[in-house]
């Protein structure tokens, strides 16, 4: 039996997004629990599809003594404030320092955190925790598939285990792999040799979906290489592109019993990714093109056509309140279509005040000041109101107790709009059931999500079309005003390199 400290602090930082993550954002519950410190941690995370839940389940079953630090996360946004970073990391370091005779440390991190005062959030956390526990204590970290893995993160941890699916249906499973890694390291069986490579091109968010195409093949390769003799661990991160700092982008890590085993696995995986560069290219439609195509397909389909409003995904730093795709549904007269969840607490409040069946004049959405976007002023009918409390039932949000605040289903010219008071991407059918909508019975569904919705919606979909309406989660990296990437990094597959023409201004 070993004594293991466990904790987590997660944020996916889109440095181009409109609003920052404050301490209050980490403290509050949304789709996941709010900041939980100490003993309450285990109950708060139990049964949820997140890394720490899988780790705790596996490590407790192995008979280890688990000591809680804190676990928190905030919805992706711009930088974590200095106050939030210092308070949360400070608490964790303080609790860690108070624990004696530790055998290991497990951390449930994202891997793409940027704070106001620190580019490499996870690397800095690891540096501070390493200072507390010393150079020899095994530290194992689970990371999101969208981690921007830095040299510091690799150097200061003993093993990084990264999700292998997008949608992330394997978050808890990754925590279990992390538990096995820490077990082995504590027992002196773990691979102490590391290899780390950064890819020379960025992978656009929607091209990292592991249901199809090159990402599916890459993660199949990860599983095969993990079984090679002498290899003790191997992971691939697609990276998170809208993060303007030198270590942004895709990368991989491998661990082995010898340096040559780790190096060989890393080289093989690097080659597998490099030869698929062109296959990672982006395929998207404009809002009007997408709605026309959806109507054409839906006319002869039994199942819904799903439109991914991919650039306003609150899981990628969007505010989930842009109106571009909604406007196209209205202008193309996509009667019967449903779009959600649009984040607009004021509209939800007005709908509640008016009541079901009433008409209400609203300036709906469009409050984020995104260029090319604006509120939609109209009189809407309130079809349904809700309290926003529901439990996720799909593979991604399974078991998550969501608190979306006041919700409402509005209608305008036959198009229905699901409105919520908390920013959570529409990635679970329960979020629509909550407002009386049965997704499988619909013709056209538009979701404010980039890829995670596929876990629950692809099985009921006729097809999925990826739409680029104006929004902060830019899929075509050529539109991002990068200033601080590493020279030579191609910002799109086969695309221009940073610092050259078309690769954003380095000046
Ligand atoms: Zn992710």
């Amino acid at each position: 039996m070993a004594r293991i400290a466990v904790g987590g602090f997660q944020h996916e930082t889109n440095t181009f997004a409109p609003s920052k993550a404050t301490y209050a954002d980490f403290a509050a519950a949304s789709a996941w629990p709010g900041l939980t410190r100490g003993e309450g941690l285990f109950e708060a995370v139990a049964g949820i599809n997140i890394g720490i839940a899988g780790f705790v389940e596996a490590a407790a079953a192995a008979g280890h003594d688990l000591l809680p630090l804190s676990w928190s996360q905030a919805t992706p946004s711009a930088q974590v404030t200095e106050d939030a970073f210092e308070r949360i990391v400070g608490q964790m370091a303080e609790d860690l320092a108070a624990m004696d005779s530790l055998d290991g440390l497990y951390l449930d991190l994202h891997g793409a955190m940027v704070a106001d005062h620190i580019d490499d959030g996870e690397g800095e956390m690891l540096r501070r925790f390493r200072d507390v526990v010393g150079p020899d204590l095994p530290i194992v970290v689970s990371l999101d598939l969208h981690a921007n893995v830095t040299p510091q993160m690799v150097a200061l941890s003993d093993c990084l285990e990264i999700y292998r699916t997008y949608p992330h249906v394997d978050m808890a499973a990754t925590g279990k792999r992390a538990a096995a890694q820490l077990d082995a390291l504590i027992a002196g069986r773990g691979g102490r040799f590391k290899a780390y490579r950064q890819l020379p091109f960025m992978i656009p968010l929607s091209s990292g979906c592991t249901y199809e195409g090159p990402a599916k093949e890459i993660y199949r390769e990860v599983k095969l290489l993990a079984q090679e003799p002498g290899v003790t661990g191997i992971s691939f991160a697609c990276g998170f592109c809208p993060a303007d700092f030198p270590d942004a982008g895709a990368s991989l890590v491998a661990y082995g019993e010898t340096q040559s085993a780790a190096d060989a696995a890393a080289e093989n995986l690097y080659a597998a990714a490099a030869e698929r560069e062109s296959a990672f290219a982006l395929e998207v439609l404009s809002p009007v093109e997408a709605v026309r195509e959806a109507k054409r397909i839906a006319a002869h389909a039994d199942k819904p056509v799903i439109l991914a409003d991919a650039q306003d995904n609150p899981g990628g730093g969007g505010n989930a309140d842009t109106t571009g795709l909604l406007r196209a549904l209205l202008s193309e007269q996509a009667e019967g279509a449903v779009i959600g969840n649009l984040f607009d607490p004021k509209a939800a409040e007005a709908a509640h005040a008016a009541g079901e069946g009433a008409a209400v004049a609203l300036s709906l959405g469009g409050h984020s000041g995104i260029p090319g976007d604006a509120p939609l002023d109209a009189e809407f009918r309130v079809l349904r109101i809700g309290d926003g409390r529901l439990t996720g039932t799909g593979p991604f949000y399974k078991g998550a107790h969501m608190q979306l605040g006041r919700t409402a289903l509005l209608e305008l010219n036959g198009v229905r709009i699901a409105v919520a008071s908390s920013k959570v991407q529409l990635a679970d059918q329960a979020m629509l059931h909550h407002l009386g909508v049965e997704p499988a019975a619909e013709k056209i569904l538009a979701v404010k999500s980039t890829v995670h919705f596929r876990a629950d919606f692809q099985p009921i979909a006729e097809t999925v079309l990826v739409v680029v309406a104006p929004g902060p989660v830019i899929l075509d990296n050529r539109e991002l005003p990068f200033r601080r990437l590493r020279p030579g990094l191609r910002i799109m597959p086969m695309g221009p390199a940073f610092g050259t023409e078309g690769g954003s201004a380095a000046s």
Side-chain angles (χ1 to χ4, degrees):
M1 184 175 103
R3 280 168 60 80
I4 301 169
V6 302
F9 179 30
Q10 301 204 351
H11 192 254
E12 183 178 73
T13 308
N14 174 340
T15 61
F16 302 105
S19 47
K20 295 189 179 186
T22 64
Y23 185 83
D25 295 322
F26 288 96
S30 57
W32 312 126
L35 191 150
T36 313
R37 185 179 182 184
E39 282 301 325
L41 185 156
F42 299 121
E43 196 190 329
V45 303
I48 308 178
N49 175 29
I50 51 179
I52 195 167
F55 181 92
V56 167
E57 199 183 314
H64 297 312
D65 190 7
L66 304 179
L67 293 88
L69 299 167
S70 70
W71 189 89
S72 62
Q73 69 86 45
T75 293
S77 67
Q79 286 84 345
V80 174
T81 61
E82 180 171 353
D83 169 65
F85 184 91
E86 292 300 332
R87 280 166 77 180
I88 295 170
V89 174
Q91 284 171 6
M92 291 173 80
E94 183 187 317
D95 293 349
L96 192 58
M99 295 170 180
D100 48 21
S101 321
L102 284 178
D103 299 298
L105 168 61
Y106 161 74
L107 296 167
D108 183 17
L109 308 180
H110 180 287
M113 180 189 289
V114 179
D116 263 337
H117 58 315
I118 293 160
D119 277 343
D120 178 8
E122 286 81 3
E124 176 64 15
M125 265 182 248
L126 283 163
R127 193 185 66 73
R128 296 192 195 181
F129 298 153
R130 189 52 95 184
D131 277 354
V132 174
V133 300
D136 300 325
L137 190 85
I139 301 180
V140 172
V141 182
S142 57
L143 294 174
D144 193 282
L145 173 142
H146 299 110
N148 289 321
V149 179
T150 67
Q152 187 170 227
M153 287 160 65
V154 178
L156 294 173
S157 63
D158 294 280
C159 183
L160 303 173
E161 275 288 346
I162 301 176
Y163 307 160
R164 295 172 176 174
T165 60
Y166 183 32
H168 306 327
V169 294
D170 68 332
M171 293 187 276
T174 303
K176 288 183 181 177
R177 284 204 312 278
Q181 294 285 3
L182 190 53
D183 244 1
L185 286 162
I186 291 170
R189 291 181 281 106
R192 286 282 182 177
F193 295 91
K194 306 169 184 177
Y196 162 66
R197 306 279 188 277
Q198 289 177 313
L199 264 67
F201 63 95
M202 283 183 149
I203 297 174
L205 200 57
S206 52
S207 302
C209 175
T210 57
Y211 278 7
E212 55 203 13
K216 181 178 181 178
E217 294 165 13
I218 294 293
Y219 286 95
R220 191 189 300 140
E221 197 68 23
V222 166
K223 282 186 195 164
L224 291 174
L225 288 167
Q227 290 160 18
E228 288 287 308
V231 176
T232 56
I234 183 161
S235 283
F236 184 88
C238 289
F240 188 61
C241 304
D244 193 13
F245 82 115
D247 291 312
S251 61
L252 59 95
V253 285
Y255 302 90
E257 290 163 0
T258 60
Q259 190 61 51
S260 60
D263 285 340
E267 279 313 313
N268 283 330
L269 189 55
Y270 184 95
E275 74 190 22
R276 289 174 174 81
E277 180 170 347
S278 62
F280 279 106
L282 189 64
E283 286 177 31
V284 293
L285 296 171
S286 75
V288 167
E289 283 170 349
V291 174
R292 285 180 185 164
E293 180 68 0
K295 284 182 71 174
R296 192 186 65 73
I297 298 168
H300 308 285
D302 301 328
K303 297 191 280 184
V305 176
I306 311 238
L307 302 176
D309 195 355
Q311 298 202 132
D312 192 27
N313 168 17
N319 271 343
D321 78 341
T322 63
T323 57
L325 181 52
L326 171 57
R327 284 173 199 276
L329 289 168
L330 291 165
S331 71
E332 297 305 309
Q333 299 169 340
E335 236 173 272
V338 179
I339 182 168
N341 275 355
L342 194 134
F343 169 68
D344 193 332
K346 274 194 181 158
E349 190 182 342
H352 276 244
E356 289 180 356
V360 59
L362 296 169
S363 189
L364 184 68
H367 304 304
S368 304
I370 303 295
D373 190 58
L376 181 66
D377 296 307
E379 187 166 281
F380 298 82
R381 183 162 298 280
V382 181
L383 297 181
R384 185 88 173 239
I385 56 175
D387 65 6
R389 290 176 180 274
L390 61 111
T391 300
T393 53
F396 177 67
Y397 276 131
K398 197 176 190 73
H401 300 294
M402 300 195 192
Q403 298 179 37
L404 305 181
R406 288 193 183 99
T407 57
L409 186 67
L410 307 175
E411 184 261 333
L412 176 62
N413 297 338
V415 173
R416 284 162 293 161
I417 308 125
V419 175
S421 300
S422 174
K423 281 178 258 178
V424 177
Q425 64 183 303
L426 183 45
D428 196 297
Q429 293 189 46
M431 294 163 79
L432 288 173
H433 290 149
H434 165 74
L435 287 169
V437 175
E438 176 47 61
E442 299 297 340
K443 286 292 210 185
I444 299 176
L445 282 173
V447 296
K448 288 192 176 285
S449 175
T450 311
V451 169
H452 283 317
F453 70 94
R454 288 182 189 259
D456 205 20
F457 287 89
Q458 188 126 350
I460 62 159
E462 175 71 19
T463 190
V464 170
L465 304 174
V466 181
V467 190
V468 285
V473 188
I474 303 293
L475 294 185
D476 187 337
N477 297 329
R478 287 168 295 199
E479 292 176 25
L480 292 172
F482 288 116
R483 301 186 63 84
R484 303 183 50 226
L485 299 177
R486 58 186 180 275
L489 175 65
R490 291 190 284 287
I491 62 170
M492 289 295 276
M494 315 303 282
F498 178 68
T500 66
E501 193 165 342
S504 294
S507 58

